[in-house]
Amino acid sequence: MLQSIGIPGLILILILVLIVFGPSKLPEIGRAFGSTLREFKKSTRELVTDDLNEETSNKKEK
C-alpha cells in the first residue's frame, strides 16, 4: 500500500497534516506516534518470545 504513494503523495500528506494540526502540535504528535510504535514493537516481541518459550517447553515434555 505504501509503495504506491510515492514522494509526491507523502509531501501532500505532510502538508495536509501541517495545515490541520499546525506547527506547534507536530512535535507532540510525533512523540505520541513514536511511543505508540515503540509499545507495539515491545508487545509483539513479548508475544513472539512467549510463543517460542511455549514451543520449547512442549518439546521438552515429549
Side-chain angles (χ1 to χ4, degrees), residues 13-23 26:
I13 291 170
L14 289 174
I15 291 171
L16 288 174
V17 168
L18 184 61
I19 290 171
V20 170
F21 294 110
L26 287 182

Side-chain angles (χ1 to χ4, degrees), residues 3-61:
Q3 295 170 348
S4 63
I5 291 176
I7 299 294
L10 287 176
I11 292 172
L12 181 64
I13 291 170
L14 289 174
I15 291 171
L16 288 174
V17 168
L18 184 61
I19 290 171
V20 170
F21 294 110
S24 61
K25 289 285 186 180
L26 287 182
E28 184 179 328
I29 292 170
R31 277 191 295 275
F33 181 74
S35 65
T36 302
L37 191 60
R38 194 176 313 112
E39 188 67 32
F40 177 75
K41 285 182 178 181
K42 178 183 171 190
S43 62
T44 54
R45 249 186 258 125
E46 289 174 357
L47 286 173
V48 169
T49 304
D50 289 344
D51 287 345
L52 290 176
N53 289 338
E54 282 184 19
E55 287 178 8
T56 56
S57 66
N58 287 340
K59 287 181 181 178
K60 289 180 182 178
E61 291 176 358

